[in-house]
Amino acid sequence: MTGSNRHYVLAAGGTGGHLLPAFALATELERRGHHVALITDARGEQIPGRPDFLTTHVLPAGRFGKNPLKWFTGARAVLQGRKMALRLYESFAPSAVVGFGGYPSLPALLASSSAGIPSVLHEQNAVLGRVNRLLAGRVQAIATAYPEIERLKDKHRAKVALVGNPVRAPVLGLREEEFPPLGEEGLLRVLVTGGSQGARILSEVVPDGLAMLPPAVRQRLQVTQQCRAEDLDAVRERYRTHDIPAELGTYFEDMATRLGDAHLFIGRAGASTIAELTAVGRPAILIPLPIATDDHQAANTREMTRAGGARMIRQERFGAKELAKQIMALADNPEGLVKAAHAAWNCGRPDAVGDLADLVEGFGGADMMDVIRVGANNARGASQGVRAGQNAARERGK
């Protein structure tokens, strides 16, 4: 508890990748005694997991694709959203506005900039997103999830504070548990996911890749795989043909427990996935989504693969033989998997949500109504806010 209740506005795009970190920060700020509001779009309003206390404001955001004919419509929506955000700020009087990327954060941050309200960006990926690139020059701090961020201009690096990506409490609770025992005769549990709806290429490649492992390894396999509903029967038949025990489903409610039990993960390289793997300390074979904007999933794998906690396979090279090869490079013996698990664990940033909250609290240190609205004060607040967040992060690490 900080001793003074303040108001904060969080703005996030309409996908779980942007909104789940916002939900985590909202929960932490509310726990510290602050009042929090959310700005998003119609899609974001439907994302599950929003805390009950979090008041949501749906604003038009506009989207800017490759078709110039649609830019006018997008710009008009952004201006309308900015006007609505300004009205919200007049009544809610936030001490700071925090943007998590995605188009809905654009009008919210443009409004905070014009109103002289300190602003913070949080970037979940290892490549600064399009909207965050547009806003980087207007904000007072940029919180990052990785030590190396592509598409970030040198002149903005002084604003950066490394905090990480917030992780779900059930997953974070597994961080201090030991890596599951894995003897020469024990089961080798493999968890395979491809996002909320699964991924067809994983369904096509993984069963055949696991079948190509040496018999001593293959006969110990126990697989849990998330698949698309239309792929379930075909994948089940593949595993039956290969005589590999596998539990398949389109969704697993107890995914945190399954991650805790797993010895090896195979799947995509989204920011939330990497954050959870490194929080728990699980070795991984990562296949970045090739259509991800700016190839950011491949960039997300950099820290974990360099540390030895994961192997990355580009989708164009992702075949059964290559998968088996990379699994054996990571898991040729129990000691190899344990070493890789430790390397992944060392990349984790379990204090991400607390460090992000510390950074945000560095702005608006005065009472709620004494919001910084003068340009000169904003510059001073930026340096104080970044330093406060960085100092708090160091203290939490002691």
Side-chain angles (χ1 to χ4, degrees):
M1 190 70 66
T2 63
S4 62
N5 295 338
R6 302 172 217 146
H7 287 188
Y8 293 101
V9 171
L10 313 185
T15 66
H18 296 305
L19 279 160
L20 294 181
F23 294 162
L25 177 61
T27 301
E28 177 63 16
L29 290 174
E30 196 270 346
R31 186 189 69 80
R32 297 184 183 197
H34 303 305
H35 303 282
V36 189
L38 173 71
I39 288 177
T40 188
D41 60 4
R43 277 197 312 158
E45 190 180 27
Q46 304 304 316
I47 298 295
R50 185 173 72 250
D52 293 338
F53 66 82
L54 187 59
T55 302
T56 301
H57 302 267
V58 176
L59 270 61
R63 303 183 69 83
F64 299 89
K66 296 181 179 180
N67 185 355
L69 297 177
K70 296 183 179 180
W71 292 354
F72 175 78
T73 302
R76 185 172 58 184
V78 168
L79 291 175
Q80 183 183 357
R82 175 182 173 276
K83 184 177 181 180
M84 294 172 66
L86 283 170
R87 288 202 298 267
L88 170 63
Y89 300 161
E90 287 176 0
S91 60
F92 193 67
S95 293
V97 177
V98 187
F100 287 83
Y103 285 109
S105 66
L106 182 56
L109 273 293
L110 289 176
S112 65
S113 176
S114 63
I117 302 171
S119 305
V120 178
L121 295 179
H122 181 268
E123 178 55 62
Q124 298 89 53
N125 294 298
V127 181
L128 200 65
R130 292 175 180 175
V131 171
N132 282 352
R133 292 202 294 271
L134 288 172
L135 296 167
R138 294 174 175 264
V139 303
Q140 282 64 56
I142 302 171
T144 64
Y146 298 93
E148 295 182 38
I149 302 296
E150 298 177 15
R151 306 297 292 272
L152 175 67
K153 294 181 178 179
D154 288 340
K155 64 182 180 180
H156 299 321
R157 294 190 182 276
K159 303 178 182 182
V160 169
L162 175 60
V163 300
N165 272 320
V167 172
R168 297 177 293 156
V171 173
L172 196 58
L174 300 170
R175 181 166 175 82
E176 300 308 321
E177 294 189 6
E178 296 289 336
F179 187 69
L182 182 63
E184 293 291 345
E185 305 300 324
L187 290 175
L188 175 60
R189 291 187 288 272
V190 179
L191 176 64
V192 186
T193 74
S196 59
Q197 299 301 316
R200 173 159 290 172
I201 191 168
L202 295 174
S203 296
E204 293 172 350
V205 172
V206 173
D208 294 346
L210 294 177
M212 295 183 71
L213 294 172
V217 177
R218 189 176 66 244
Q219 66 186 11
R220 297 163 48 211
L221 290 173
Q222 185 177 70
V223 180
T224 299
Q225 182 161 347
Q226 182 188 43
C227 308
R228 303 190 328 174
E230 58 268 35
D231 297 334
L232 277 173
D233 290 342
V235 178
R236 185 173 290 112
E237 179 60 23
R238 283 175 183 262
Y239 279 116
R240 189 194 66 77
T241 300
H242 297 314
D243 195 25
I244 297 175
E247 181 182 1
L248 309 180
T250 58
Y251 178 76
F252 296 106
E253 290 187 0
D254 58 343
M255 188 60 77
T257 300
R258 292 174 185 274
L259 179 60
D261 290 339
H263 297 104
L264 178 66
F265 171 88
I266 302 173
R268 295 300 192 187
S272 296
T273 296
I274 299 290
E276 294 193 350
L277 289 170
T278 55
V280 180
R282 290 298 178 270
I285 305 294
L286 300 170
I287 305 93
L289 182 68
I291 62 172
T293 305
D294 297 318
D295 200 23
H296 68 255
Q297 285 204 4
N300 289 350
T301 70
R302 184 188 302 120
E303 183 183 24
M304 196 174 173
T305 54
R306 285 179 179 174
R311 312 283 291 193
M312 188 265 278
I313 307 174
R314 288 282 188 178
Q315 183 159 309
E316 61 267 23
R317 296 191 302 106
F318 183 56
K321 185 176 181 179
E322 181 65 19
L323 176 60
K325 174 185 173 182
Q326 296 300 333
I327 290 175
M328 291 310 299
L330 199 62
D332 59 346
N333 59 70
E335 290 74 21
L337 270 179
V338 172
K339 183 178 178 180
H342 186 68
W345 191 91
N346 281 337
C347 294
R349 295 183 175 86
D351 296 325
V353 69
D355 289 345
L356 180 57
D358 290 340
L359 176 65
V360 171
E361 281 188 326
F363 300 94
D367 287 338
M368 178 185 67
M369 298 306 295
D370 295 328
V371 180
I372 301 172
R373 294 189 184 276
V374 181
N377 286 341
N378 282 353
R380 183 171 65 253
S383 62
Q384 291 173 345
V386 172
R387 281 201 301 272
Q390 292 171 335
N391 291 340
R394 284 194 290 269
E395 289 299 318
R396 292 165 69 90
K398 289 182 179 179

